[in-house]
Amino acid sequence: QVQLVESGGGLVQAGGSLRLSCAASTRTNYAMGWFRQTPGKEREFVTAISWSGGNTAYADSVKGRFTISRDNAKKTVYLQMDSLRTEDTADYYCAVRKVMILPAGWGPSEVDYWGQGTQVTVSS
């Protein structure tokens, strides 16, 4: 079992930046990623990173603005969010999928462990 704890959410103006962190309770030799969800909508994939950190994937909506990284020694994955837009407002969830390489696609039903979520609000 892996526990994930997110932090770093908050309120920011459009165009601003936030950095989310996700700390794992144990070292995970697995792919990790971020999903987000707004009320009434399905949880959607945002970004993912392979165990080694050598491969990443991004949703088209965040490509060029968000950057995922990980520090395996600290058992932590990060999400740097720049040029934030009001449509980025959501609850952001850290996720683990028990594969080492990055899957071609990653839906919410393929997540093995979830964090509790952290809220990000982008004001206009």
Side-chain angles (χ1 to χ4, degrees), residues 8-49:
L11 174 65
V12 64
Q13 284 193 325
S17 298
L18 277 177
R19 189 193 196 203
L20 306 184
S21 299
C22 171
S25 59
T26 184
R27 183 170 176 136
T28 60
N29 296 336
Y30 301 132
M32 297 184 72
W34 294 89
F35 287 71
R36 66 186 181 186
Q37 188 172 25
T38 54
K41 292 190 175 182
E42 290 189 357
R43 199 166 292 189
E44 64 173 5
F45 171 81
V46 176
T47 180
I49 188 168

Short mmCIF file of all heavy atoms in Angstrom, two decimals, residues 8-49:
data_model
loop_
_atom_site.label_atom_id
_atom_site.label_comp_id
_atom_site.label_asym_id
_atom_site.label_seq_id
_atom_site.Cartn_x
_atom_site.Cartn_y
_atom_site.Cartn_z
N GLY A 8 0.47 22.20 -1.66
CA GLY A 8 0.84 23.28 -2.56
C GLY A 8 -0.30 23.94 -3.30
O GLY A 8 -0.09 24.92 -4.02
N GLY A 9 -1.51 23.42 -3.13
CA GLY A 9 -2.64 24.05 -3.78
C GLY A 9 -2.96 25.39 -3.15
O GLY A 9 -2.41 25.76 -2.12
N GLY A 10 -3.84 26.14 -3.81
CA GLY A 10 -4.22 27.43 -3.27
C GLY A 10 -4.89 28.29 -4.32
O GLY A 10 -5.32 27.81 -5.36
N LEU A 11 -4.95 29.58 -4.00
CA LEU A 11 -5.59 30.57 -4.87
C LEU A 11 -4.52 31.38 -5.56
O LEU A 11 -3.58 31.88 -4.91
CB LEU A 11 -6.50 31.47 -4.04
CG LEU A 11 -7.14 32.66 -4.76
CD1 LEU A 11 -8.10 32.18 -5.84
CD2 LEU A 11 -7.86 33.55 -3.75
N VAL A 12 -4.65 31.54 -6.86
CA VAL A 12 -3.67 32.30 -7.63
C VAL A 12 -4.40 33.03 -8.75
O VAL A 12 -5.44 32.57 -9.22
CB VAL A 12 -2.57 31.37 -8.19
CG1 VAL A 12 -3.14 30.37 -9.19
CG2 VAL A 12 -1.44 32.16 -8.80
N GLN A 13 -3.85 34.15 -9.16
CA GLN A 13 -4.45 34.90 -10.27
C GLN A 13 -4.05 34.27 -11.60
O GLN A 13 -2.99 33.64 -11.72
CB GLN A 13 -4.00 36.35 -10.23
CG GLN A 13 -4.69 37.18 -9.15
CD GLN A 13 -4.47 38.67 -9.34
OE1 GLN A 13 -3.41 39.09 -9.79
NE2 GLN A 13 -5.47 39.47 -9.01
N ALA A 14 -4.90 34.48 -12.58
CA ALA A 14 -4.59 34.00 -13.92
C ALA A 14 -3.24 34.55 -14.37
O ALA A 14 -2.93 35.73 -14.14
CB ALA A 14 -5.68 34.41 -14.89
N GLY A 15 -2.45 33.69 -14.99
CA GLY A 15 -1.11 34.06 -15.40
C GLY A 15 -0.05 33.73 -14.38
O GLY A 15 1.15 33.78 -14.68
N GLY A 16 -0.48 33.40 -13.18
CA GLY A 16 0.46 33.09 -12.12
C GLY A 16 0.91 31.64 -12.13
O GLY A 16 0.62 30.88 -13.06
N SER A 17 1.63 31.27 -11.07
CA SER A 17 2.22 29.93 -10.98
C SER A 17 1.94 29.31 -9.62
O SER A 17 1.75 30.03 -8.62
CB SER A 17 3.74 30.00 -11.18
OG SER A 17 4.07 30.49 -12.46
N LEU A 18 1.92 28.00 -9.62
CA LEU A 18 1.84 27.21 -8.40
C LEU A 18 2.68 25.97 -8.57
O LEU A 18 2.85 25.48 -9.70
CB LEU A 18 0.41 26.79 -8.08
CG LEU A 18 -0.53 27.75 -7.36
CD1 LEU A 18 -1.92 27.13 -7.23
CD2 LEU A 18 0.00 28.15 -6.00
N ARG A 19 3.18 25.46 -7.47
CA ARG A 19 3.91 24.20 -7.51
C ARG A 19 3.28 23.21 -6.54
O ARG A 19 3.23 23.48 -5.33
CB ARG A 19 5.37 24.41 -7.13
CG ARG A 19 6.26 23.18 -7.35
CD ARG A 19 7.59 23.36 -6.67
NE ARG A 19 8.60 22.41 -7.12
CZ ARG A 19 9.65 22.07 -6.41
NH1 ARG A 19 9.84 22.58 -5.21
NH2 ARG A 19 10.55 21.21 -6.90
N LEU A 20 2.79 22.12 -7.07
CA LEU A 20 2.22 21.07 -6.25
C LEU A 20 3.28 20.02 -5.94
O LEU A 20 4.15 19.74 -6.77
CB LEU A 20 1.04 20.41 -6.96
CG LEU A 20 -0.09 21.33 -7.43
CD1 LEU A 20 -1.22 20.49 -8.04
CD2 LEU A 20 -0.61 22.20 -6.32
N SER A 21 3.16 19.44 -4.76
CA SER A 21 4.04 18.34 -4.37
C SER A 21 3.20 17.15 -3.97
O SER A 21 2.08 17.31 -3.46
CB SER A 21 4.93 18.76 -3.20
OG SER A 21 5.76 19.84 -3.54
N CYS A 22 3.75 15.97 -4.17
CA CYS A 22 3.09 14.74 -3.75
C CYS A 22 4.14 13.85 -3.12
O CYS A 22 5.06 13.38 -3.81
CB CYS A 22 2.43 14.05 -4.94
SG CYS A 22 1.80 12.40 -4.57
N ALA A 23 3.99 13.64 -1.82
CA ALA A 23 4.95 12.81 -1.09
C ALA A 23 4.37 11.41 -0.90
O ALA A 23 3.24 11.25 -0.44
CB ALA A 23 5.25 13.44 0.26
N ALA A 24 5.16 10.42 -1.27
CA ALA A 24 4.74 9.03 -1.10
C ALA A 24 5.26 8.47 0.22
O ALA A 24 6.33 8.87 0.70
CB ALA A 24 5.26 8.19 -2.27
N SER A 25 4.51 7.54 0.78
CA SER A 25 4.90 6.96 2.08
C SER A 25 6.05 5.99 1.95
O SER A 25 6.74 5.69 2.91
CB SER A 25 3.69 6.25 2.69
OG SER A 25 3.24 5.21 1.82
N THR A 26 6.26 5.51 0.73
CA THR A 26 7.33 4.56 0.50
C THR A 26 7.87 4.79 -0.91
O THR A 26 7.19 5.38 -1.74
CB THR A 26 6.81 3.11 0.64
OG1 THR A 26 7.89 2.20 0.49
CG2 THR A 26 5.77 2.80 -0.42
N ARG A 27 9.08 4.34 -1.12
CA ARG A 27 9.66 4.53 -2.43
C ARG A 27 8.86 3.72 -3.45
O ARG A 27 8.56 2.56 -3.24
CB ARG A 27 11.11 4.08 -2.44
CG ARG A 27 11.80 4.33 -3.78
CD ARG A 27 13.28 4.09 -3.70
NE ARG A 27 13.90 4.23 -4.99
CZ ARG A 27 15.05 4.88 -5.19
NH1 ARG A 27 15.66 5.44 -4.17
NH2 ARG A 27 15.57 4.96 -6.39
N THR A 28 8.49 4.38 -4.54
CA THR A 28 7.69 3.73 -5.57
C THR A 28 8.47 3.65 -6.86
O THR A 28 8.82 4.67 -7.45
CB THR A 28 6.38 4.50 -5.83
OG1 THR A 28 6.70 5.83 -6.27
CG2 THR A 28 5.54 4.60 -4.58
N ASN A 29 8.75 2.44 -7.30
CA ASN A 29 9.43 2.27 -8.58
C ASN A 29 8.40 2.21 -9.70
O ASN A 29 8.47 1.35 -10.58
CB ASN A 29 10.26 0.99 -8.56
CG ASN A 29 11.38 1.07 -7.54
OD1 ASN A 29 11.83 2.15 -7.18
ND2 ASN A 29 11.81 -0.08 -7.06
N TYR A 30 7.46 3.12 -9.64
CA TYR A 30 6.34 3.11 -10.58
C TYR A 30 6.14 4.47 -11.21
O TYR A 30 6.67 5.48 -10.75
CB TYR A 30 5.06 2.72 -9.84
CG TYR A 30 5.09 1.39 -9.18
CD1 TYR A 30 4.66 1.24 -7.86
CD2 TYR A 30 5.52 0.25 -9.86
CE1 TYR A 30 4.67 0.00 -7.25
CE2 TYR A 30 5.53 -0.99 -9.25
CZ TYR A 30 5.10 -1.10 -7.94
OH TYR A 30 5.11 -2.33 -7.33
N ALA A 31 5.35 4.46 -12.26
CA ALA A 31 4.95 5.71 -12.88
C ALA A 31 4.05 6.50 -11.92
O ALA A 31 3.25 5.91 -11.18
CB ALA A 31 4.20 5.44 -14.18
N MET A 32 4.21 7.79 -11.93
CA MET A 32 3.37 8.66 -11.10
C MET A 32 2.81 9.77 -11.98
O MET A 32 3.37 10.08 -13.04
CB MET A 32 4.17 9.26 -9.94
CG MET A 32 4.69 8.21 -8.97
SD MET A 32 5.54 8.91 -7.55
CE MET A 32 4.16 9.61 -6.64
N GLY A 33 1.72 10.33 -11.53
CA GLY A 33 1.12 11.37 -12.36
C GLY A 33 0.15 12.22 -11.58
O GLY A 33 0.00 12.08 -10.36
N TRP A 34 -0.50 13.11 -12.31
CA TRP A 34 -1.51 14.01 -11.75
C TRP A 34 -2.76 13.96 -12.61
O TRP A 34 -2.70 13.93 -13.85
CB TRP A 34 -0.98 15.44 -11.71
CG TRP A 34 0.16 15.65 -10.77
CD1 TRP A 34 1.49 15.52 -11.03
CD2 TRP A 34 0.06 16.04 -9.40
NE1 TRP A 34 2.23 15.79 -9.91
CE2 TRP A 34 1.38 16.12 -8.90
CE3 TRP A 34 -1.00 16.33 -8.54
CZ2 TRP A 34 1.67 16.47 -7.58
CZ3 TRP A 34 -0.71 16.69 -7.23
CH2 TRP A 34 0.60 16.76 -6.76
N PHE A 35 -3.88 13.95 -11.92
CA PHE A 35 -5.19 14.09 -12.54
C PHE A 35 -5.87 15.29 -11.91
O PHE A 35 -5.45 15.78 -10.86
CB PHE A 35 -6.04 12.83 -12.29
CG PHE A 35 -5.60 11.63 -13.09
CD1 PHE A 35 -4.42 10.97 -12.79
CD2 PHE A 35 -6.39 11.15 -14.12
CE1 PHE A 35 -4.02 9.85 -13.52
CE2 PHE A 35 -6.00 10.02 -14.85
CZ PHE A 35 -4.82 9.39 -14.55
N ARG A 36 -6.93 15.75 -12.53
CA ARG A 36 -7.71 16.84 -11.93
C ARG A 36 -9.18 16.62 -12.18
O ARG A 36 -9.57 15.91 -13.13
CB ARG A 36 -7.26 18.20 -12.45
CG ARG A 36 -7.53 18.44 -13.94
CD ARG A 36 -6.90 19.76 -14.37
NE ARG A 36 -7.15 20.05 -15.79
CZ ARG A 36 -6.62 21.08 -16.44
NH1 ARG A 36 -5.79 21.92 -15.80
NH2 ARG A 36 -6.89 21.27 -17.71
N GLN A 37 -9.98 17.25 -11.33
CA GLN A 37 -11.42 17.05 -11.42
C GLN A 37 -12.15 18.31 -10.97
O GLN A 37 -11.76 18.93 -9.98
CB GLN A 37 -11.86 15.87 -10.55
CG GLN A 37 -13.30 15.46 -10.72
CD GLN A 37 -13.60 14.17 -9.98
OE1 GLN A 37 -12.95 13.80 -9.01
NE2 GLN A 37 -14.61 13.45 -10.45
N THR A 38 -13.19 18.65 -11.71
CA THR A 38 -14.08 19.75 -11.33
C THR A 38 -15.46 19.16 -11.07
O THR A 38 -15.79 18.08 -11.58
CB THR A 38 -14.15 20.82 -12.43
OG1 THR A 38 -14.51 20.19 -13.67
CG2 THR A 38 -12.81 21.52 -12.60
N PRO A 39 -16.28 19.85 -10.30
CA PRO A 39 -17.60 19.32 -9.95
C PRO A 39 -18.42 18.96 -11.18
O PRO A 39 -18.52 19.73 -12.13
CB PRO A 39 -18.24 20.47 -9.17
CG PRO A 39 -17.08 21.21 -8.58
CD PRO A 39 -16.00 21.14 -9.61
N GLY A 40 -18.99 17.78 -11.16
CA GLY A 40 -19.85 17.33 -12.25
C GLY A 40 -19.12 16.76 -13.44
O GLY A 40 -19.76 16.34 -14.41
N LYS A 41 -17.80 16.75 -13.37
CA LYS A 41 -17.02 16.21 -14.50
C LYS A 41 -16.20 15.01 -14.06
O LYS A 41 -15.91 14.85 -12.87
CB LYS A 41 -16.12 17.29 -15.07
CG LYS A 41 -16.86 18.42 -15.78
CD LYS A 41 -15.90 19.32 -16.52
CE LYS A 41 -16.64 20.38 -17.32
NZ LYS A 41 -15.70 21.25 -18.10
N GLU A 42 -15.81 14.20 -15.03
CA GLU A 42 -14.96 13.07 -14.72
C GLU A 42 -13.54 13.54 -14.42
O GLU A 42 -13.10 14.59 -14.91
CB GLU A 42 -14.93 12.10 -15.91
CG GLU A 42 -16.24 11.37 -16.14
CD GLU A 42 -16.11 10.28 -17.19
OE1 GLU A 42 -15.01 10.13 -17.75
OE2 GLU A 42 -17.10 9.58 -17.43
N ARG A 43 -12.85 12.74 -13.63
CA ARG A 43 -11.45 13.03 -13.35
C ARG A 43 -10.66 12.85 -14.66
O ARG A 43 -10.85 11.86 -15.37
CB ARG A 43 -10.94 12.09 -12.27
CG ARG A 43 -9.69 12.53 -11.57
CD ARG A 43 -9.45 11.73 -10.30
NE ARG A 43 -10.45 12.01 -9.28
CZ ARG A 43 -10.36 11.56 -8.04
NH1 ARG A 43 -9.33 10.80 -7.68
NH2 ARG A 43 -11.29 11.85 -7.15
N GLU A 44 -9.79 13.81 -14.94
CA GLU A 44 -9.07 13.76 -16.21
C GLU A 44 -7.56 13.74 -16.00
O GLU A 44 -7.03 14.33 -15.06
CB GLU A 44 -9.44 14.97 -17.09
CG GLU A 44 -9.04 16.30 -16.54
CD GLU A 44 -9.29 17.45 -17.52
OE1 GLU A 44 -9.86 17.21 -18.60
OE2 GLU A 44 -8.88 18.59 -17.21
N PHE A 45 -6.90 13.08 -16.93
CA PHE A 45 -5.45 13.00 -16.90
C PHE A 45 -4.83 14.36 -17.17
O PHE A 45 -5.29 15.09 -18.06
CB PHE A 45 -4.99 12.00 -17.97
CG PHE A 45 -3.51 11.96 -18.20
CD1 PHE A 45 -2.69 11.24 -17.35
CD2 PHE A 45 -2.95 12.65 -19.26
CE1 PHE A 45 -1.32 11.20 -17.57
CE2 PHE A 45 -1.58 12.63 -19.48
CZ PHE A 45 -0.77 11.90 -18.64
N VAL A 46 -3.79 14.68 -16.42
CA VAL A 46 -3.05 15.93 -16.63
C VAL A 46 -1.64 15.63 -17.13
O VAL A 46 -1.21 16.13 -18.17
CB VAL A 46 -2.99 16.77 -15.35
CG1 VAL A 46 -2.14 18.03 -15.57
CG2 VAL A 46 -4.39 17.15 -14.88
N THR A 47 -0.91 14.82 -16.36
CA THR A 47 0.47 14.56 -16.72
C THR A 47 0.97 13.32 -15.99
O THR A 47 0.40 12.93 -14.96
CB THR A 47 1.37 15.76 -16.39
OG1 THR A 47 2.73 15.48 -16.76
CG2 THR A 47 1.32 16.09 -14.91
N ALA A 48 2.03 12.71 -16.51
CA ALA A 48 2.61 11.54 -15.86
C ALA A 48 4.11 11.49 -16.13
O ALA A 48 4.60 12.10 -17.10
CB ALA A 48 1.94 10.25 -16.35
N ILE A 49 4.80 10.74 -15.28
CA ILE A 49 6.24 10.61 -15.41
C ILE A 49 6.64 9.18 -15.10
O ILE A 49 6.07 8.54 -14.19
CB ILE A 49 6.96 11.62 -14.47
CG1 ILE A 49 8.46 11.65 -14.73
CG2 ILE A 49 6.62 11.35 -13.00
CD1 ILE A 49 9.15 12.84 -14.05
#
